[in-house]
Amino acid sequence: MRIALRTRDVRVVVLDKLTYAGNLASLADVIDDPRVTFVEGDVADRATVQGVVAGQRPDAVINF
């Protein structure tokens, strides 16, 4: 994500449930970039993912 933000004109949507493995501090260096949107939610929740895809209209989805 950081490489894409440095080298391309992209928008990034981060969808994270923020459980034991997720931490907003890991996005501290990019969260204020206007091209970055954070959505708290579960990738296993179909309605959440559909809402993000419909609202953000991404060209690609990458699951880390």
Side-chain angles (χ1 to χ4, degrees):
M1 166 184 66
R2 287 165 178 81
I3 292 171
L5 287 168
R6 277 195 309 268
T7 61
R8 304 207 181 277
D9 184 22
V10 296
R11 290 180 304 114
V12 175
V13 179
V14 178
L15 173 62
D16 196 315
K17 192 174 175 181
L18 293 181
T19 59
Y20 70 94
N23 187 335
L24 272 178
S26 66
L27 298 174
D29 62 321
V30 295
I31 198 67
D32 291 328
D33 187 314
R35 299 171 299 156
V36 176
T37 301
F38 175 79
V39 177
E40 186 172 353
D42 189 345
V43 297
D45 179 357
R46 182 183 300 254
T48 297
V49 174
Q50 286 176 333
V52 170
V53 170
Q56 299 293 326
R57 301 185 49 109
D59 292 322
V61 175
I62 302 169
N63 182 19
F64 292 106

